[in-house]
Amino acid sequence: MPSHPPSAPALRVLAHPLRSRLLAELRVHGEATATALARALETNSGATSYHLRRLAEVGLVEDTGGGVGRERVWRAAQEGAPTGDGLEQEPLDEEDAQAADWLALDYLAHFHERAQGWLGQRTRWPKEWQVAGLEDHLVQVTAEQLTALRAELSEVLGRYRRVGQGNPQAKRVVVYTCALPLDQAPRSG
């Protein structure tokens, strides 16, 4: 989740299967043309170009200016993955709330794909890399402490974001965080 949640317009634009995958592809693999993205996502470049322009309209991707001719090179405009979770703004209207829910479920499906992929290939990695994987930690906190915990985790991840750059032994690693209450929701009223 990003340190700055997406705006409601960005959330609505991102709540689309191809758009969310385009942003994920750019975040994971870096700059690419619409044609390269279409190949990677097994779609056509016309659809890819259209959806990239929609993402650019709300500031989620940007044209690098490095393209040749009509071929534009795109990049993700922000480091964090907007998930639709934890929006810190005015209450969402019904359409925005549905977009946030769709995006959170899509993010969960994307996490599942990545985690399952890791489980299927982890034994092919050197032993020292096999420390990667799934774990959970049970903590007991107030709502304010949960907010502080998430901010601290974000700060730690921010410090590690580029620490391995230039080191040939460094690999890109995605770290998912998901704080979920285990107790029943309090009754209102």
Side-chain angles (χ1 to χ4, degrees):
M1 183 172 124
S3 53
H4 302 290
S7 65
L11 184 65
R12 284 190 298 272
V13 167
L14 192 55
H16 181 281
L18 183 54
R19 292 178 197 149
S20 66
R21 291 301 180 247
L22 285 167
L23 181 58
E25 190 73 14
L26 289 170
R27 286 184 64 243
V28 171
H29 299 291
E31 298 176 359
T33 64
T35 303
L37 289 164
R39 258 192 317 273
L41 298 175
E42 298 178 355
T43 187
N44 66 68
S45 60
T48 303
S49 293
Y50 169 78
H51 291 295
L52 285 165
R53 287 191 306 274
R54 291 294 318 267
L55 289 166
E57 289 170 5
V58 294
L60 293 173
V61 302
E62 56 194 18
D63 182 346
T64 67
V68 177
R70 295 183 62 199
E71 194 76 8
R72 298 162 91 178
V73 178
W74 299 91
R75 70 173 158 233
Q78 60 188 81
E79 289 293 323
T83 65
D85 184 29
L87 292 171
E88 298 164 4
Q89 55 192 21
E90 294 297 315
L92 300 176
D93 66 23
E94 187 175 339
E95 185 179 330
D96 293 340
Q98 288 175 349
D101 288 347
W102 183 91
L103 191 55
L105 290 171
D106 185 63
Y107 187 72
L108 184 59
H110 194 63
F111 165 73
H112 178 263
E113 291 169 13
R114 286 217 176 133
Q116 192 170 31
W118 168 251
L119 291 174
Q121 67 162 330
R122 72 176 182 257
T123 58
R124 294 190 293 244
W125 280 76
K127 282 283 188 207
E128 63 269 17
W129 282 98
Q130 291 183 27
V131 299
L134 306 171
E135 59 185 30
D136 61 1
H137 302 271
L138 182 61
V139 297
Q140 189 161 347
V141 294
T142 65
E144 293 79 19
Q145 291 165 335
L146 178 58
T147 299
L149 173 64
R150 290 182 66 167
E152 286 178 47
L153 290 173
S154 182
E155 184 181 317
V156 168
L157 292 170
R159 285 197 313 265
Y160 280 89
R161 188 157 281 124
R162 301 202 191 287
V163 76
Q165 275 191 336
N167 183 337
Q169 295 177 324
K171 305 289 182 217
R172 291 179 308 142
V173 173
V174 63
V175 177
Y176 290 89
T177 60
C178 183
L180 302 173
L182 294 176
D183 298 330
Q184 293 293 321
R187 293 182 186 201
S188 58

